Amino acid sequence: MIELRQIPVLRDNYIHLLHLPDSGHTIAVDPAEAAPVLAALAASGWSLTHVFNTHHHADHIGGNNGLKQSTGCEIVGSDQDGPRIPGLDRRVQEGDCFLIGHTEIRVMEVPGHTRGHLAFWLPGEQMIFVGDTLFSLGCGRLFEGTAALMWQSLQKIRALPGETRIYCAHEYTEANARFALTVEPDNADLQRRAEQVRQYRRQGLSTVPSTLAEERACNPFLRPDSPSIRARLNLMHADDVGVFAELRRLKDVF
Ligand code: ZN
Ligand code: FE
């Protein structure tokens, strides 16, 4: 059974630290900074063996060099992002599957936020690390891709088993809920989730992870086929990409 620590850093980033007790491996996902990871390692007695980077933005790779210097860990990232990921050791791509200890890691390419964006899926643990592609009740901004490309990427994630826990890299859920309620105010699941999120945040608790089933029920960016959203946007006859693109545009100016 994997052990997981969630480390809040910067304004609203999460670094996830995974420990595999069987084999003794420890993985840091998207280390924005080295120091908080080193502190968590010291507190837990775990030794860092790997860094997984979902993409090259500073708030996901800022700790790479410091962690490599201190621990000698192996850094895993996108083959397409070689020069953009400091210290990259193992270049991976769509469909790659490897073991760390006894834990199977599957690599998915999910471009849109950036060209080389990856998701790391651990099917045996029912966990996926999605970086800035999918957020709880939201999705990443389109910096290096079109709405069509991002929608393809989100559909890959949307097709995974509903119990899959979604570990995203930012605590954006409360603001995302406010937007989601403007485009699908009559969604009872969304209303319940939004209330839960408000309560969690009032107590200073994390809203990450959610499950994929929850996101499919509540997250407008996974629901461009919802008749209610389509009616609200006056896009009854558009295709899913068209609805998704309009949702993303509205969120950008929300
Ligand atoms: Zn980013
Ligand atoms: Fe980010």
Side-chain angles (χ1 to χ4, degrees), residues 193-210:
R193 171 72 172 147
E195 182 48 37
Q196 179 195 50
V197 166
R198 274 190 294 271
Q199 284 179 20
Y200 277 33
R201 294 309 294 153
R202 219 177 291 137
Q203 300 169 61
L205 300 175
S206 171
T207 65
V208 176
S210 54

Side-chain angles (χ1 to χ4, degrees), residues 11-69:
R11 232 165 100 105
D12 47 36
N13 276 81
Y14 288 128
I15 301 172
H16 289 104
L17 199 57
L18 289 161
H19 181 64
L20 319 181
D22 292 4
S23 60
H25 291 92
T26 302
I27 306 162
V29 183
D30 285 348
E33 299 180 296
V37 176
L38 294 171
L41 291 167
S44 56
W46 301 343
S47 308
L48 191 69
T49 53
H50 295 82
V51 161
F52 289 179
N53 292 129
T54 61
H55 65 295
H56 73 281
H57 285 159
D59 60 317
H60 300 256
I61 52 103
N64 277 22
N65 285 334
L67 290 174
K68 199 167 180 174
Q69 273 161 27

Side-chain angles (χ1 to χ4, degrees), residues 22-110:
D22 292 4
S23 60
H25 291 92
T26 302
I27 306 162
V29 183
D30 285 348
E33 299 180 296
V37 176
L38 294 171
L41 291 167
S44 56
W46 301 343
S47 308
L48 191 69
T49 53
H50 295 82
V51 161
F52 289 179
N53 292 129
T54 61
H55 65 295
H56 73 281
H57 285 159
D59 60 317
H60 300 256
I61 52 103
N64 277 22
N65 285 334
L67 290 174
K68 199 167 180 174
Q69 273 161 27
S70 308
T71 67
C73 63
E74 180 180 26
I75 296 180
V76 183
S78 170
D79 186 38
Q80 295 184 49
D81 272 337
R84 306 205 287 186
I85 295 188
L88 182 59
D89 295 300
R90 191 193 298 201
R91 294 161 166 257
V92 294
Q93 56 184 315
E94 172 70 26
D96 281 0
C97 186
F98 56 94
L99 289 174
I100 294 187
H102 310 290
T103 302
E104 180 185 346
I105 318 287
R106 292 201 205 169
V107 176
M108 295 166 64
E109 288 181 356
V110 287

